[in-house]
């Protein structure tokens, strides 16, 4: 049912009351916006902010949300005919592909202020040196731990890989694993592995390296030792969260979007820390999650200008902070993020990690999906014992560089 609604909404965007030459002339009273925030309270929160920013720009924003899986197919179908909405949200790894198609407009032409954004965050919205998308907020992943379980076992929060393995082993007992990750064969599994790959000096441009093999070996060791369930091969991040809340794992890798549910869990005393690194003193390099807002090409410069005004409003410091508090995300401007970490201590580890975080498309651009596929394929092969990490990563590199 929602798919049909999407088609109708986008058709209206392309050929409604203000189409063709008419769209390019006269006063613009409304613009359209499309995102994938279908869940509550996100849909309402974004709708209220878009309405407020539209009012500031002097337009009504007609806000539509579609399921995440439907967004990119819909965007790709409409991009070539330039019937995209006036304001479009994209998951940051997908923006490169749409910018490459020529369907988006560079934001500098509207005079939008992108100063103060962390370097990695700005790169997530950049294609061939030009900024096409800005994210009001971002996310990343960190290490959650059960305070009571660590205290009972006399285990300190692990900071290094060796400490992680030792802690996970000591925390493992009947009915409980020490550690949990999402290692499933999707981009989500790749996303969870990236901090281990990147923090050890591995690189998606060349996957069959000793640094990458060492990172994958860490996960293999955790499974082989019994400190991590082999079921991680099928778990989603939601499954990992459920295991943690149920007390079936003492530590997990996950994102801040899990915090509201954990706060509601009775008798769950949790903490969060940066993901352990190979050697003490290193800074973890984590992947950036989050969505960028863009202004697609259209027949009307006036509509593009209004959409850009709304986009700028979404990305002002006040709205960044408001969204972060509502959604447990990290403001994209560094000064706002620091302020936020002081106000919401449970987010401090994420704010710190975002400072050094990287965009998944930063190195490979539109070629990133092939590398991501190679990585999760290697994880599956290595954790099942089908191949050694070295063998699995050699295959991963072949997948990443295939025509």
């Amino acid at each position: 049912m929602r798919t049909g609604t999407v088609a109708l909404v986008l058709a209206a965007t392309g050929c409604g009351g203000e189409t063709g030459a008419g769209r390019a002339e006269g006063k613009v009273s409304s613009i359209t916006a499309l995102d994938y925030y279908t869940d509550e309270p996100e849909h309402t929160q974004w709708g209220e902010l878009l309405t407020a920013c539209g009012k500031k720009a002097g337009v009504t924003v007609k806000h539509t949300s579609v399921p995440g899986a439907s967004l990119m197919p819909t965007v790709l179908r409409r991009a070539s005919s330039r019937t995209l909405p006036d304001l479009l949200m994209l998951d940051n790894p997908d923006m490169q592909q749409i910018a490459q198609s020529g369907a988006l407009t560079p934001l500098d032409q509207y005079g939008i202020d992108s100063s103060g954004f962390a370097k990695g965050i700005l790169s997530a919205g950049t294609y061939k040196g030009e900024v096409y998308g800005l994210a009001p907020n971002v996310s990343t992943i960190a290490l959650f731990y059960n305070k009571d379980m660590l205290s009972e076992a006399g285990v300190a929060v692990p900071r290094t890989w060796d400490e992680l393995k030792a802690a996970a082993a000591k925390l493992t007992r009947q009915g409980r694993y020490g550690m949990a990750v999402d290692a499933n064969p999707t981009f989500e599994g790749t996303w969870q592995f990236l901090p281990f790959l990147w923090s050890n000096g591995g690189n998606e441009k060349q996957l069959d390296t000793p640094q990458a093999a060492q990172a994958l070996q860490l996960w293999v060791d955790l499974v082989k030792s019994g400190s991590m369930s082999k079921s991680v091969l099928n778990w989603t991040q939601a499954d990992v969260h459920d295991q943690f809340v149920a007390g079936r794992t003492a530590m997990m890798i996950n994102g801040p979007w899990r915090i509201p549910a954990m706060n509601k869990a009775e008798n769950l005393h949790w903490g969060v820390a940066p993901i352990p690194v190979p050697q003490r003193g290193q800074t973890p390099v984590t992947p950036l999650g989050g969505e960028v807002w863009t202004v697609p090409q259209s027949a009307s410069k006036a509509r593009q200008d209004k959409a850009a005004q709304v986009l700028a409003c979404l990305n002002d410091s006040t709205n960044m902070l408001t969204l972060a508090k509502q959604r447990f995300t990290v403001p994209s401007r560094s000064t706002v993020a620091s302020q936020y970490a002081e106000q919401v201590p449970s987010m401090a580890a994420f704010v710190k990690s975002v400072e050094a975080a990287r965009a998944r498309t930063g190195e490979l651009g539109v070629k990133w999906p092939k590398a991501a596929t190679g990585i999760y394929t290697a994880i599956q092969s290595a954790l099942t014992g089908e191949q050694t990490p070295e063998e699995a990563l050699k295959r991963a590199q072949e997948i990443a560089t295939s025509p």
Side-chain angles (χ1 to χ4, degrees):
M1 183 175 70
R2 286 180 178 270
T3 304
T5 303
V6 175
L8 289 172
V9 169
L10 286 176
T13 301
C15 58
E18 294 179 281
T19 59
R23 282 180 60 166
E25 299 171 359
K27 182 181 177 182
V28 175
S29 60
S30 67
I31 62 169
T32 53
L34 180 66
D35 60 38
Y36 59 35
Y37 303 123
T38 55
D39 293 340
E40 292 295 353
E42 276 190 318
H43 179 76
T44 296
Q45 289 167 350
W46 277 103
E48 290 173 349
L49 182 55
L50 286 164
T51 296
C53 285
K55 187 175 181 181
K56 186 176 178 182
V59 292
T60 298
V61 179
K62 297 178 180 178
H63 174 218
T64 303
S65 299
V66 300
S70 301
L71 183 63
M72 273 301 282
T74 299
V75 169
L76 290 169
R77 283 197 306 270
R78 297 291 178 175
S80 60
S81 58
R82 299 294 189 265
T83 56
L84 289 169
D86 301 302
L87 190 61
L88 173 65
M89 182 230 73
L90 293 166
D91 197 12
N92 77 70
D94 295 328
M95 195 221 69
Q96 300 266 338
Q97 183 180 1
I98 305 305
Q100 183 188 45
S101 75
L104 304 178
T105 61
L107 298 183
D108 61 353
Q109 72 184 51
Y110 306 108
I112 294 176
D113 178 20
S114 60
S115 64
F117 281 70
K119 182 180 177 182
I121 297 173
L122 202 58
S123 74
T126 301
Y127 174 71
K128 289 193 173 180
E130 291 195 278
V131 177
Y132 286 87
L134 286 178
N137 300 95
V138 294
S139 62
T140 191
I141 43 180
L143 179 76
F144 286 91
Y145 57 91
N146 185 303
K147 290 183 176 181
D148 295 337
M149 291 178 183
L150 267 66
S151 177
E152 179 190 349
V155 171
V157 178
R159 305 293 181 186
T160 67
W161 287 4
D162 286 343
E163 290 174 4
L164 176 64
K165 287 201 288 187
K170 199 168 182 182
L171 289 162
T172 298
R173 59 190 58 184
Q174 184 68 32
R176 185 180 85 198
Y177 290 94
M179 180 66 177
V181 300
D182 165 357
N184 74 36
T186 70
F187 289 169
E188 202 172 89
T190 296
W191 153 267
Q192 287 233 332
F193 180 68
L194 287 176
F196 300 90
L197 173 70
W198 286 344
S199 299
N200 199 42
N203 193 295
E204 60 270 33
K205 292 169 75 173
Q206 190 67 42
L207 293 171
D208 52 347
T209 64
Q211 292 88 346
Q214 288 164 5
L216 188 49
Q217 187 66 54
L218 173 66
W219 280 23
V220 170
D221 290 346
L222 286 167
V223 171
K224 274 190 173 181
S225 68
S227 296
M228 194 157 73
S229 172
K230 198 170 183 178
S231 295
V232 299
L233 285 160
N234 301 308
W235 284 349
T236 64
Q237 291 181 129
D239 295 330
V240 171
H241 165 265
D242 291 344
Q243 294 291 317
F244 183 75
V245 171
R248 291 191 289 268
T249 185
M251 299 182 292
M252 70 167 177
I253 303 296
N254 226 316
W257 53 87
R258 298 294 166 195
I259 291 177
M262 287 193 291
N263 282 340
K264 293 177 183 176
E266 291 185 17
N267 302 318
L268 177 64
H269 305 120
W270 57 273
V272 61
I275 291 176
V277 290
Q279 302 295 327
R280 187 172 285 273
Q282 292 179 316
T283 299
V285 184
T286 60
L288 277 171
E291 301 83 20
V292 296
W293 287 87
T294 67
V295 178
Q297 298 277 4
S298 78
S300 170
K301 179 69 166 60
R303 293 176 74 91
Q304 289 177 185
D305 288 341
K306 289 296 184 182
Q309 289 176 37
V310 174
L311 187 152
C313 175
L314 296 178
N315 283 276
D316 74 26
S317 296
T318 300
N319 287 328
M320 279 186 177
L321 192 57
T322 298
L323 284 167
K325 289 179 177 178
Q326 287 177 336
R327 302 179 62 224
F328 285 92
T329 48
V330 178
S332 293
R333 296 184 197 270
S334 300
T335 54
V336 184
S338 297
Q339 178 186 354
Y340 176 58
E342 293 177 4
Q343 296 177 7
V344 188
S346 63
M347 289 297 296
F350 295 100
V351 169
K352 183 175 177 59
S353 294
V354 160
E355 292 173 6
R358 284 176 47 189
R360 283 159 281 176
T361 53
E363 292 286 340
L364 295 178
V366 295
K367 296 179 181 178
W368 161 249
K370 281 188 178 180
T373 300
I375 291 170
Y376 71 65
T377 301
I379 293 169
Q380 290 280 307
S381 296
L383 266 60
T384 57
E386 181 183 331
Q387 292 181 305
T388 65
E390 289 80 7
E391 291 168 342
L393 288 163
K394 182 178 180 182
R395 174 60 182 147
Q397 181 63 17
E398 292 172 356
I399 294 171
T401 55
S402 63

